[in-house]
Amino acid sequence: MPPFLATPLTLLLGALALLLPLLLARAAGLRLEGALAAPANLVALLVFAVGIGFAAFLWWLASRSFALLRDPATTPTQIAALRDLPMGLPEGTVRALLALIVGIIGLPLLLFSQALALNDAVAGYVNGIIAGVFGYYFGARSTTPDAQTTRRLTEALATEQRQNLALREAPDPARVEGMAAQLERQLGVARTILTQLGPALPAGILPPQAATMIEAAERALGAARTTGNATEAGLQAALGALTGAGGPFAALLRAAAPALPLAAGGPLGAAALVLGVGWNLGAGAWRRFRARLLEAPLDPALFEPGAITPASAELRLAQAPIFARLFTRRLEEPGFLATLLDHCLRPDAAALLWARYPGFANPEEAAQGLAEFRAALLDEAVARDVTPEALARAASGLSAATPALRAAPDATLLTPVAAPPEARAALEGLTLLLAQLRETDTDPLPLLAEITP
């Protein structure tokens, strides 16, 4: 059947359905003319017909609403908007139907009140009802545009808020990439500490859960780098574990802090300053700086030719108790200090001192005196290497770190002090970590800015 015939055929069938009861009554021999002649019966029939008509109209509207709900193209936002409407129908539909019912039934009653033998009181009631319903309907219609505008603005604002919330909750690719890069840096440091330094460190310096932290960080970083399914929460959790107070890097800093002077900002400031200064030194200066931190047997190659003058050697000799006791009286001898300095910088210096310079109680005392003199010479060389500019640059680089890791540009903070063996071992581990960072060209200052020990 052509679509344009569907609506007329539906109306025709509806009219036949209304006439069907009358036709059936005639076929049964019932005479309805007399019954319909009474005004009251006619009004009742009119009310019944109007009710049936409006019920059918409401059923048609509801069926269209349900069809809209079943349509796959209907969005959740549209469904939510329909849920707020009365009976799921367009706004004002129910109010208009009520007004039409009162008007279609009430106006004929009022106009034909004398023919229907209605008294003045009933006619007054009908008039009041009609006036009240129409007054409310048209009064509401006059304010509806403002209400609709307000509602639409409210809905638009709520939609925008939901979209903003969704954008905040959605992972930002740039932020996820930044967190993954930060996690990769911290993971590299944690691996170095655990695998290369951990076996040589005393028990209790590194946290027992360090291996678990590293495994979790590797999983989160792998998800970000390979599948792209990493969440900010997963990356943040792994990063927080490595950079927090329980992470391997922070634990090593805390363990090494007692082997250095106390900084004004806290015990960790000197350890952070050691990393900053050591990173900024040149190759030769770094070797001397590392030798002083490790307090290992000194290599004469650390001292550059011509860097030690007789005047500076005389001053350092006064700081070596054994040499000062034996050689102070001989400093006036021509060439003595230069010869002594030459012997002290040779690989077999301890044996030469014992063989050529009387006064040592035994070879061990000669070796001890040599170590004291070389340490004094090394202190002088490191003092020349660590310039005020290098200290200021390192302290400035720590300005982005947490206050516990900041320190003043004070060279005295770089000199190791007497400390328990565990602290000495941790300082040696920190020095070896800095050496590894220098080899891989990894600046420790951004790493320090990311941790919260």
Side-chain angles (χ1 to χ4, degrees), residues 263-441:
L268 301 180
L273 188 63
V274 164
L275 294 177
V277 170
W279 167 255
N280 287 289
L281 294 177
W286 159 244
R287 287 195 298 270
R288 290 185 286 273
F289 186 67
R290 179 181 59 184
R292 207 234 329 237
L293 290 175
L294 295 177
E295 294 184 353
L298 300 183
D299 183 359
L302 293 173
F303 304 99
E304 298 176 357
I308 305 175
T309 64
S312 64
E314 183 177 351
L315 292 174
R316 302 313 145 202
L317 186 143
Q319 297 176 358
I322 295 177
F323 274 28
R325 175 173 55 84
L326 296 178
F327 303 135
T328 300
R329 294 186 303 271
R330 301 184 61 180
L331 293 178
E332 301 298 330
E333 298 178 11
F336 172 79
L337 190 57
T339 303
L340 177 64
L341 184 59
D342 175 65
H343 289 163
C344 289
L345 296 181
R346 290 186 180 184
D348 56 345
L352 285 174
L353 290 174
W354 171 248
R356 298 189 181 188
Y357 297 89
F360 293 107
N362 48 52
E364 289 75 17
E365 187 181 32
Q368 182 181 355
L370 177 63
E372 293 174 352
F373 184 55
R374 283 181 173 178
L377 294 175
L378 183 63
D379 287 342
E380 180 190 27
V382 171
R384 289 194 305 267
D385 295 332
V386 181
T387 62
E389 292 78 12
L391 281 168
R393 190 161 54 249
S396 175
L398 293 172
S399 60
T402 183
L405 295 175
R406 299 174 192 170
D410 186 359
T412 61
L413 297 176
L414 307 176
T415 303
V417 298
E422 293 79 7
R424 283 295 317 161
L427 180 59
E428 293 175 2
L430 193 65
T431 305
L432 296 176
L433 173 64
L434 179 56
Q436 182 67 26
L437 294 177
R438 286 176 61 93
E439 289 181 5
T440 58
D441 198 26

Side-chain angles (χ1 to χ4, degrees), residues 110-307:
L110 186 62
L111 293 175
F112 300 103
S113 59
Q114 294 181 355
L116 296 174
L118 298 178
N119 56 35
D120 294 340
V122 174
Y125 292 148
V126 173
N127 184 29
I129 292 173
I130 295 173
V133 171
F134 277 28
Y136 169 76
Y137 176 71
F138 289 106
R141 290 290 296 172
S142 65
T143 60
T144 295
D146 294 336
Q148 289 179 345
T149 302
T150 302
R151 182 175 59 81
R152 291 193 182 107
L153 288 175
T154 304
E155 291 176 353
L157 181 60
T159 302
E160 184 176 358
Q161 290 175 346
R162 288 194 297 269
Q163 292 174 349
N164 292 337
L165 180 61
L167 288 176
R168 287 196 299 268
E169 293 178 350
D172 184 0
R175 188 163 59 243
V176 170
E177 179 60 28
M179 293 175 63
Q182 184 179 353
L183 179 59
E184 189 171 13
R185 291 193 300 269
Q186 293 294 337
L187 183 57
V189 175
R191 282 201 200 102
T192 301
I193 294 174
L194 183 64
T195 60
Q196 300 184 24
L197 307 180
L201 293 174
I205 290 182
L206 299 182
Q209 68 275 17
T212 305
M213 292 180 187
I214 292 176
E215 291 175 0
E218 288 174 343
R219 288 194 298 269
L221 186 61
R225 294 300 190 202
T226 58
T227 64
N229 293 329
T231 63
E232 290 187 37
L235 291 173
Q236 187 62 48
L239 191 59
L242 289 182
T243 60
F249 195 11
L252 185 62
L253 286 171
R254 286 196 305 272
L260 293 167
L262 181 63
L268 301 180
L273 188 63
V274 164
L275 294 177
V277 170
W279 167 255
N280 287 289
L281 294 177
W286 159 244
R287 287 195 298 270
R288 290 185 286 273
F289 186 67
R290 179 181 59 184
R292 207 234 329 237
L293 290 175
L294 295 177
E295 294 184 353
L298 300 183
D299 183 359
L302 293 173
F303 304 99
E304 298 176 357

